[in-house]
Amino acid sequence: QVQLVESGGGSVQAGGSLRLSCAASGYTRTSGCMGWFRQVPGKKREGVASIDSAGITKYGDSVQGRFAISKDVASDTLYLDMNSLKPEESGMYYCKGGGSLWSCLTYVSTNHWGQGTQVTVAS
């Protein structure tokens, strides 16, 4: 069974940085397209960053240039490096697996999802 477990969330001051990690099991079933999504107050879950099996990355417009997604295939771990964090980006961040290549950054409920990790950015 595919399992995704996020970690690395916490509280940080505006302008600070965090690294989120997602430990995956059954990685070959989630390696087509993996990514990070977030749900902030008042908004639905949205795509933040994704990476496909070829290493091609995509980013949401609001995080372009500030966030970086990467993966370590050997350890089945997905990372999200977040820089220059803003208070409005506080929310729950989720790891996604099993995405189609054409919809890496699109929320699909039937994709594999972790439980999420909370990120709080203080102003």
Side-chain angles (χ1 to χ4, degrees):
Q1 298 290 332
V2 174
Q3 188 171 3
L4 304 170
V5 181
E6 302 95 336
S7 63
S11 181
V12 65
Q13 293 293 114
S17 301
L18 283 174
R19 166 173 266 204
L20 305 183
S21 299
C22 172
S25 59
Y27 193 76
T28 58
R29 296 178 62 184
T30 64
S31 62
C33 190
M34 300 187 69
W36 290 93
F37 285 64
R38 69 186 176 195
Q39 187 165 1
V40 302
K43 299 180 68 176
K44 295 183 177 180
R45 193 173 300 187
E46 64 178 344
V48 175
S50 68
I51 185 167
D52 66 18
S53 58
I56 299 174
T57 59
K58 294 183 178 180
Y59 296 94
D61 291 341
S62 66
V63 307
Q64 184 73 43
R66 297 187 296 115
F67 290 12
I69 188 171
S70 61
K71 62 180 178 181
D72 185 335
V73 176
S75 63
D76 289 344
T77 304
L78 185 73
Y79 300 100
L80 181 67
D81 292 300
M82 304 185 293
N83 300 303
S84 301
L85 282 161
K86 305 173 182 179
E88 60 265 34
E89 294 177 311
S90 297
M92 190 71 72
Y93 284 69
Y94 298 91
C95 179
K96 184 200 80 171
S100 299
L101 296 178
W102 59 271
S103 60
C104 291
L105 219 53
T106 300
Y107 173 67
V108 179
S109 63
T110 53
N111 291 158
H112 302 292
W113 296 97
Q115 291 295 109
T117 185
Q118 181 69 40
V119 172
T120 301
V121 184
S123 61

